[in-house]
Amino acid sequence: MKKKYTLLITSCDKFSDTWQPLFTLFKKYWKDPSLEILLITEKLKYCNKDFIVESTQISRETNKRFSWSETLIEAIKCIENDIILLYMDDYFLQSKVAVDKIDLYANYMFENEKIDVIYLHEKGPVNCINDDKYEDLLRVKKTSDYKVSMMAGLWRKSVLLNLLREEENAWMFELYGTKRAQRLDLLMYRVSDSNSAPLNYVYTGIIKGKWNAKVVDLFSANNIIIDYRLRGFYKSKLKIYSKLLTFMKLLRDPIRFCKYYLNFLL
């Protein structure tokens, strides 16, 4: 039976080293032969003998450097299904996926066109409430922080496209997308806790371009061999230091800085 949703994995060629561990763990934990998968790539084409994976190859006919949002927008345009399961390339599964739950939540959206998003992980939007409409789901309040989150979730395609802005990266999309979403009358849900979440993954496998040390035991247990020296491991910094670095990067390009600031209002 054809799925009511398509799994869209956000990635890029620079992160191609995540694909082998990602799909190795998919094979072990995501038992769903009917799953439709679209992997965002730039010039590379990825093939997998266990899953049917389409690669976007967004830059195969041009040397233009696309932003994160531009690659996502172009990928969404290739999807026929009205519902997208948005997933990141460094969300490495740690246990069996509850496919029946994902299908159930997708069916909720299929039957009720007013539902715009259902997040499938307990992290993400905060200050959610129980409206007693759906078991194991909490409604995201209009004023909730992280209302737009990159946690794995089922998105209505039109809503996702409406919230995206071409110049933004994933971090900006969460930050400014939340501000935009708070002004819209969107119906969004999130699983209530880890027990009701159909997906259990390392969050996140790569931090600021470096490996999260949490993946080492997981990869070792599944005979996944990685040369960690190529990326190295992430070492945490003071939060204020990280914010200062981001601010300094934006100041290097005043035009982009103004665009990002204006996105709070647009």
Side-chain angles (χ1 to χ4, degrees):
M1 181 183 295
K2 181 177 172 60
K3 284 289 182 187
K4 295 177 180 176
Y5 58 89
T6 298
L7 175 63
L8 176 56
I9 302 173
T10 65
S11 190
C12 62
D13 293 1
K14 190 167 68 173
F15 278 65
S16 61
D17 55 340
T18 65
W19 302 344
Q20 183 260 335
L22 180 74
F23 283 98
T24 296
L25 294 167
F26 270 24
K27 180 181 179 180
K28 180 176 181 179
Y29 293 124
W30 204 319
K31 305 295 185 181
D32 188 355
S34 61
L35 189 63
E36 298 179 16
I37 304 174
L38 182 62
L39 175 68
I40 296 180
T41 69
E42 290 153 314
K43 294 185 180 295
L44 296 178
K45 180 177 178 60
Y46 176 76
C47 297
N48 186 284
K49 62 183 179 63
D50 300 301
F51 295 92
I52 298 176
V53 184
E54 296 292 333
S55 305
T56 61
Q57 294 179 281
I58 196 78
S59 303
R60 65 184 177 276
E61 296 180 355
T62 178
N63 289 322
K64 176 185 174 181
R65 181 71 181 270
F66 290 91
S67 70
W68 178 87
S69 287
E70 284 177 317
T71 64
L72 182 52
I73 290 168
E74 291 303 312
I76 292 170
K77 292 177 182 178
C78 299
I79 296 175
E80 293 183 2
N81 281 326
D82 184 47
I83 300 171
I84 294 170
L85 201 176
L86 194 60
Y87 197 93
M88 297 193 77
D89 54 12
D90 62 342
Y91 288 172
F92 300 112
L93 292 172
Q94 301 179 98
S95 61
K96 184 179 178 181
V97 173
V99 176
D100 56 338
K101 277 193 174 182
I102 299 177
D103 291 346
L104 175 65
Y105 296 151
N107 197 53
Y108 288 162
M109 296 180 70
F110 187 78
E111 294 178 347
N112 183 357
E113 293 185 358
K114 292 183 178 180
I115 301 177
D116 299 300
V117 182
I118 298 179
Y119 290 109
L120 305 176
H121 197 278
E122 69 275 12
K123 294 187 182 296
V126 298
N127 300 322
C128 301
I129 60 174
N130 186 357
D131 63 2
D132 295 319
K133 294 288 182 64
Y134 300 100
E135 185 178 0
D136 295 331
L137 293 181
L138 299 177
R139 182 166 60 82
V140 180
K141 294 195 298 184
K142 187 171 184 177
T143 57
S144 292
D145 290 333
Y146 293 101
K147 191 165 186 175
V148 169
S149 170
M150 286 309 298
M151 287 292 102
L154 294 164
W155 282 80
R156 199 164 297 282
K157 181 167 64 174
S158 58
V159 173
L160 185 54
L161 280 172
N162 185 46
L163 287 172
L164 285 163
R165 298 292 184 271
E166 289 186 350
E167 67 273 11
E168 292 178 350
N169 58 27
W171 177 79
M172 293 292 176
F173 177 55
E174 285 191 321
L175 180 63
Y176 301 124
T178 289
K179 297 297 181 182
R180 293 191 287 269
Q182 287 172 343
R183 295 192 295 272
L184 299 173
D185 188 22
L186 300 178
L187 183 56
M188 311 170 87
Y189 286 92
R190 190 206 76 197
V191 293
S192 55
D193 53 39
S194 58
N195 293 325
S196 58
L199 294 164
N200 172 30
Y201 51 78
V202 172
Y203 168 68
T204 59
I206 293 179
I207 305 173
K208 297 187 182 299
K210 305 289 185 180
W211 287 106
N212 183 342
K214 290 182 179 180
V215 304
V216 175
D217 289 343
L218 176 65
F219 287 0
S220 178
N222 289 279
N223 298 315
I224 297 171
I225 299 173
I226 296 289
D227 186 351
Y228 296 108
R229 295 172 299 178
L230 298 179
R231 286 186 178 273
F233 287 101
Y234 175 74
K235 296 179 180 178
S236 61
K237 300 178 179 65
L238 291 175
K239 194 171 184 180
I240 187 66
Y241 179 71
S242 297
K243 287 187 175 182
L244 180 61
L245 284 179
T246 300
F247 183 72
M248 293 300 292
K249 287 179 182 178
L250 291 177
L251 284 181
R252 292 173 193 163
D253 190 337
I255 295 177
R256 292 191 73 189
F257 178 80
C258 291
K259 281 185 177 181
Y260 290 148
Y261 180 75
L262 287 173
N263 275 333
F264 275 111
L265 305 175
L266 300 177

